[in-house]
Amino acid sequence: MSYPGYPPAGGYPPAAPGGNPWGAPGYPPTNPPPIGLENIGNYANQFNPDYMASMASNMSGTFGGSNVPQGLYPPASGGGYPPVPPGGFGQAPQGQQPPYGMYPPVPGGNAPSGMPSYPGYPMPPAGQQPQPMTYPGQQPMPPPGQQPLPSYPSGPAVNPSMPSYPGPTMPTVTPAPAGNRGTICDAPSFDPLRDAEVLRKAMKGFGTDEQAIIDCLGSRSSKQRQQIILSFKTAYGKDLIKDLKSELSGNFEKAILAMLKTPVLLDVHEIKDAIKGAGTDEACLIEILASRSNEHIREISRAYKTEFKKTLEEAIRSDTSGHFQRLLISLAQGNRDESTNVNMSLVQTDAQALYAAGENRLGTDESRFNAILCARSRAHLRAVFNEYQRMCNRDIEKSISREMSGDLEHGMLAVVKCLKNTPAFFAERLHKAMKGAGTKDRTLIRIMVSRSEVDLLDIRQEYKRMYGKSLYTDITGDTSGDYRKILLKLCGGND
């Protein structure tokens, strides 16, 4: 289909007179205009306006520019061209970040018309060559003019925290797995008022429902039990602990009352009971002070002063003496280094110092043992014990037994065992409490209650490994009645 007058005779667009774009047979002139739109104005009279009109519209839309002479091109409909922004077309407004796109902006010009504004790769900083685009799984393209690099197998991963040269500082020791390793944790959907009502019904009327008390208190954390005590007094105006004392008896009563104390107050009263009277339970003192954290020991000291109007250190001094007293006072400061970094040069120094203070001299320098065992971190001391074994071909525990005696020997051994393997230390304490003719119920109750929310699961594993039978089995065979039931409830299961 064609329209009248199209295509025009002679082709489209019409040819300039003389068959030459410059309009005359003498063209092109001997001095043609330099290429560049900024010079067009100086040579505008040499162009054929009819021929250049269409070309100018295409060029202006394609290239733009800030120096296009006014009046050279025919004005577009709608009032002419928009004003040229500062710096030319294609520049970002003042104070704004220029957009990243597929093409870098041409200085003083626009991107080619009609090109979609897809986001391309970001442009590199000034002075750098753009890198070729690669696809997933494709090897990176080399810069122009360079050969591609050969593919080598990747090397081992580098740990930034591990120095690549031998030095005195070892990497950070990995801490024990975080989380609760106890058998008791916070009960879900906990309602202290409902539990208070359960306990009230268990003690009301003739007789006591001990099983209800075991099921309730044996399934709640220490923090939740404190809330039950408060809710009981709020609801009934009575003291839960006094009511339980009037209803229960024997070791079952002792176990339940121990569960209703906070961990700190339980330790405070255990220390008090260990010190008072004719004899001193030195093993209890060492057990508590060697196994608790710095923060816990400081809380014990504050609570002891509040409860008994006497500092913990004063209580220790009043009932102990000699190097054993110094050991307890050192531990009672709660000032052990708790870092996990191990300096191997210091490890070797301490191992040599322990050897020089004991095996390598006549007599024993107990103060040196005290300074190292009570101040250094657990991670550091484990490394010291290993280094001592390598250096002397003898375990540190055997050296202590050869060099010391009495309470000091037992105290130092307890500290070393607790530092080496805390769950194994408590497993041994539980086994000793139950073996033989009688049962040391205070020790059994204290450990089962105090470790039930800390590491009783680990203690059970160590017990089975060390003695070939489960802690649950030994508790079952060594206790009876409701006392057995509450201990097995704390134990949490058989292995």
Side-chain angles (χ1 to χ4, degrees):
M1 181 181 291
S2 62
Y3 297 91
Y6 289 93
Y12 185 86
N20 193 310
W22 297 96
Y27 283 90
T30 58
N31 57 337
I35 295 176
L37 292 178
E38 68 276 5
N39 297 305
I40 290 178
N42 299 328
Y43 299 88
N45 57 348
Q46 299 182 26
F47 289 94
N48 185 341
D50 294 332
Y51 180 84
M52 298 303 296
S54 61
M55 184 180 72
S57 62
N58 289 332
M59 292 175 64
S60 64
T62 302
F63 299 101
S66 59
N67 299 315
V68 179
Q70 302 296 325
L72 176 64
Y73 304 131
S77 59
Y81 293 100
V84 179
F89 291 102
Q91 303 301 320
Q94 187 70 22
Q96 292 189 14
Q97 172 73 22
Y100 289 97
M102 183 172 287
Y103 296 96
V106 179
N110 297 322
S113 61
M115 290 304 297
S117 59
Y118 299 121
Y121 56 87
M123 297 305 297
Q128 295 186 16
Q129 293 292 331
Q131 297 298 320
M133 181 181 295
T134 58
Y135 297 92
Q138 178 183 353
Q139 292 291 334
M141 298 295 294
Q146 294 188 15
Q147 293 295 326
L149 294 174
S151 176
Y152 296 105
S154 59
V158 177
N159 183 0
S161 65
M162 175 77 75
S164 58
Y165 54 88
T169 303
M170 291 293 289
T172 300
V173 175
T174 304
N180 182 15
R181 292 294 296 162
T183 56
I184 303 294
C185 57
D186 288 340
S189 305
F190 171 64
D191 185 350
L193 280 173
R194 183 180 60 201
D195 287 351
E197 182 180 357
V198 169
L199 294 174
R200 173 66 175 162
K201 288 181 179 178
M203 294 183 287
K204 189 177 180 180
F206 181 75
T208 304
D209 187 352
E210 288 86 356
Q211 189 61 48
I213 296 173
I214 293 170
D215 293 338
C216 178
L217 296 179
S219 303
R220 306 292 183 265
S221 67
S222 176
K223 181 177 65 177
Q224 290 175 333
R225 293 177 200 132
Q226 301 309 306
Q227 295 176 265
I228 295 173
I229 293 172
L230 180 60
S231 296
F232 192 91
K233 184 169 286 188
T234 302
Y236 306 110
K238 301 185 71 176
D239 189 289
L240 176 60
I241 295 176
K242 289 182 178 179
D243 280 9
L244 288 169
K245 280 183 177 180
S246 65
E247 296 289 333
L248 308 179
S249 61
N251 288 323
F252 178 56
E253 174 193 350
K254 294 176 183 177
I256 292 295
L257 296 181
M259 293 167 61
L260 290 175
K261 292 184 176 75
T262 65
V264 170
L265 277 181
L266 175 61
D267 286 344
V268 165
H269 286 272
E270 287 295 304
I271 290 174
K272 177 66 174 177
D273 291 340
I275 291 176
K276 74 177 183 181
T280 302
D281 188 350
E282 294 85 0
C284 171
L285 298 177
I286 284 289
E287 173 198 308
I288 293 174
L289 295 177
S291 63
R292 278 28 170 191
S293 66
N294 286 347
E295 182 183 0
H296 190 93
I297 291 174
R298 291 168 190 156
E299 290 180 3
I300 289 174
S301 297
R302 289 191 290 267
Y304 198 97
K305 179 71 177 293
T306 303
E307 287 283 310
F308 306 115
K309 313 304 177 188
K310 190 177 186 179
T311 67
L312 177 59
E313 184 175 333
E314 290 171 346
I316 292 173
R317 288 186 184 278
S318 66
D319 209 65
T320 58
S321 61
H323 288 289
F324 180 65
Q325 180 190 90
R326 297 180 192 177
L327 174 64
L328 291 176
I329 292 176
S330 295
L331 295 172
Q333 303 311 302
N335 196 37
R336 180 185 297 280
D337 178 14
E338 291 186 329
S339 68
T340 57
N341 291 329
V342 177
N343 185 319
M344 286 308 297
S345 63
L346 183 58
V347 165
Q348 294 174 352
T349 300
D350 283 349
Q352 292 168 357
L354 290 176
Y355 179 68
E359 295 278 0
N360 198 35
R361 60 170 287 171
L362 183 63
T364 306
D365 185 357
E366 294 88 353
S367 297
R368 194 63 185 155
F369 275 82
N370 192 94
I372 294 175
L373 295 181
C374 296
R376 304 295 196 217
S377 71
R378 292 173 181 270
H380 175 87
L381 287 172
R382 291 188 187 111
V384 169
F385 299 153
N386 290 333
E387 179 66 16
Y388 187 93
Q389 172 84 29
R390 186 193 66 80
M391 181 189 304
C392 309
N393 200 26
R394 179 176 290 132
D395 188 87
I396 185 70
E397 295 175 38
K398 292 183 178 178
S399 292
I400 289 175
S401 297
R402 285 161 55 96
E403 296 294 322
M404 303 178 192
S405 61
D407 292 337
L408 180 61
E409 175 194 351
H410 298 148
M412 288 286 186
L413 286 176
V415 170
V416 169
K417 290 177 180 178
C418 190
L419 291 168
K420 277 186 173 181
N421 187 336
T422 303
F425 168 74
F426 282 109
E428 182 182 357
R429 294 278 294 154
L430 287 169
H431 183 70
K432 288 181 177 179
M434 290 184 287
K435 78 173 185 178
T439 302
K440 298 177 181 177
D441 296 294
R442 269 193 57 218
T443 301
L444 185 57
I445 293 170
R446 179 179 64 252
I447 295 176
M448 293 299 293
V449 173
S450 65
R451 310 309 291 187
S452 62
E453 295 183 47
V454 181
D455 57 358
L456 192 50
L457 289 173
D458 296 329
I459 294 171
R460 280 168 40 181
Q461 292 177 0
E462 290 294 328
Y463 196 97
K464 182 69 176 288
R465 179 186 66 82
M466 294 166 68
Y467 304 109
K469 49 184 177 179
S470 69
L471 176 62
Y472 190 98
T473 300
D474 276 358
I475 291 175
T476 302
D478 211 64
T479 58
S480 61
D482 296 319
Y483 175 48
R484 173 200 291 165
K485 291 179 183 178
I486 191 59
L487 291 180
L488 293 179
K489 184 76 172 178
L490 293 174
C491 185
N494 199 357
D495 298 305

